[in-house]
Amino acid sequence: MTIQILGLPQDNNGSYMSGPALAPARIREALHSDSANMFTELGHDLGNKTLWADAGNVLLDGLSGQTAFDAIHIAVVKLLAEGHQLVSMGGDHSVSYPTILAHAKAHKGLNILHIDAHGDLYDSLLDNHFSHATPFARLMESGLISRLVQVGNRTLNTHQRQQAKRFNVEIHEMRDLSGVPTISFEGPVYLSLDLDALDPAYAPGVSHFEPGGLSTRAVLDLIQNFKGNLIGADVVELNPHRDPFGMTAMVAAKFLKELISRLLIESGVHPAIP
Ligand SMILES: [Mn+2]
């Protein structure tokens, strides 16, 4: 089994701006930038290319709706069937629906830890059932998700509160957080990380600025310390049009590194220098 990073360059399900289709390339640049070394905080040297691999991008040029969904779903199902674990890079958040659905089919009783400023629980938005505001409604409708736990939400409206109630979503709203919440799961966990969960002060390179968010440190703390068996993850919604200095790409790359490191630890690959 290898841990693979996978680019999902799609942004035609955004509701406000395009740009996230350009994100995988920017995140790779940040990841390999000479400005930092390849060690993770958890102690792995990701410069060691036996620890992980890059699966490239799913080809999504010109695809939208069901055809884009199918292309992503088929690619993820194939990589999982080959025994790989994935950390995907969006893309707008719509890419998480086909990706997590594939994981849910491979891991019975899958839980989701969803870190986001938004619930992404709309039944549809702008007449689009694949909108980046809907993936977690689609996933809960599948009946394959055991628990959906959200952290960082600060945009709930009446419709999304109703949807959250309908799907028994557990929400750690931003206004109730003092510090990092303790979150525990039984069984497999997929972590879906929307960069707009962070306060725009920490991560301005996103389409939807939503003040009052998480710090970079708080998200790293969640990645490193939530209780449960991490089996896959994605980092989505980087918008390079709003990231001229690559600051937010660096934040995304940092999260990617720590996610890979946690997956390595859980698959028994412990760092040489803990
Ligand atoms: Mn989102």
Side-chain angles (χ1 to χ4, degrees):
M1 182 176 70
T2 315
I3 294 162
Q4 308 246 344
I5 63 171
L6 176 68
L8 302 173
Q10 185 187 12
D11 62 12
N12 52 24
N13 288 313
S15 54
Y16 181 60
M17 290 180 81
S18 61
L22 306 169
R26 297 286 88 76
I27 296 172
R28 284 190 179 91
E29 270 175 28
L31 190 60
H32 296 289
S33 166
D34 289 336
S35 75
N37 68 46
M38 289 298 280
F39 273 76
T40 67
E41 292 186 4
L42 292 172
H44 292 105
D45 178 7
L46 300 188
N48 176 352
K49 286 301 174 60
T50 66
L51 294 181
W52 65 286
D54 189 336
N57 288 351
V58 177
L59 295 176
L60 294 165
D61 288 352
L63 302 186
S64 63
Q66 187 69 44
T67 51
F69 172 98
D70 290 343
I72 295 170
H73 190 256
I74 288 165
V76 173
V77 164
K78 180 169 179 286
L79 286 163
L80 295 179
E82 290 168 0
H84 302 302
Q85 287 192 321
L86 300 180
V87 182
S88 306
M89 308 176 279
D92 68 53
H93 216 154
S94 69
V95 301
S96 296
Y97 172 34
T99 305
I100 299 178
L101 195 63
H103 282 80
K105 289 172 181 170
H107 295 272
K108 273 212 173 5
L110 185 67
N111 302 286
I112 302 172
L113 175 53
H114 171 205
I115 306 172
D116 201 322
H118 312 93
D120 295 354
L121 288 165
Y122 278 88
D123 182 47
S124 78
L125 192 68
L126 307 174
D127 283 332
N128 181 5
H129 276 260
F130 289 105
S131 165
H132 72 156
T134 68
F136 295 90
R138 295 294 87 75
L139 285 161
M140 296 315 281
E141 287 163 358
S142 76
L144 296 173
I145 305 302
S146 181
R147 284 172 68 202
L148 171 58
V149 179
Q150 298 185 333
V151 181
N153 201 324
R154 51 193 185 277
T155 58
L156 283 165
N157 59 10
T158 304
H159 171 64
Q160 291 207 82
R161 280 192 195 280
Q162 287 165 347
Q163 291 282 85
K165 203 169 168 192
R166 175 182 163 208
F167 298 127
N168 289 317
V169 185
E170 299 161 54
I171 306 181
H172 296 266
E173 284 187 61
M174 205 64 224
R175 64 174 183 165
D176 297 326
L177 292 183
S178 54
V180 181
T182 304
I183 298 177
S184 301
F185 295 96
E186 295 289 329
V189 182
Y190 185 98
L191 193 156
S192 188
L193 172 50
D194 187 321
L195 291 165
D196 68 28
L198 280 77
D199 193 279
Y202 294 94
V206 296
S207 302
H208 301 262
F209 297 152
E210 193 62 45
L214 295 162
S215 68
T216 309
R217 193 71 251 163
V219 173
L220 287 167
D221 196 334
L222 275 168
I223 290 170
Q224 293 168 346
N225 298 315
F226 83 84
K227 305 239 179 330
N229 173 217
L230 183 69
I231 54 89
D234 59 53
V235 179
V236 299
E237 294 283 355
L238 171 68
N239 189 335
H241 294 320
R242 287 189 151 179
D243 194 30
F245 304 112
M247 283 168 57
T248 306
M250 207 67 186
V251 173
K254 175 96 174 171
F255 293 152
L256 219 70
K257 286 169 71 178
E258 296 306 316
L259 285 163
I260 293 170
S261 208
R262 175 147 183 179
L263 286 170
L264 284 167
I265 288 171
E266 295 201 19
S267 51
V269 184
H270 293 283
I273 308 163

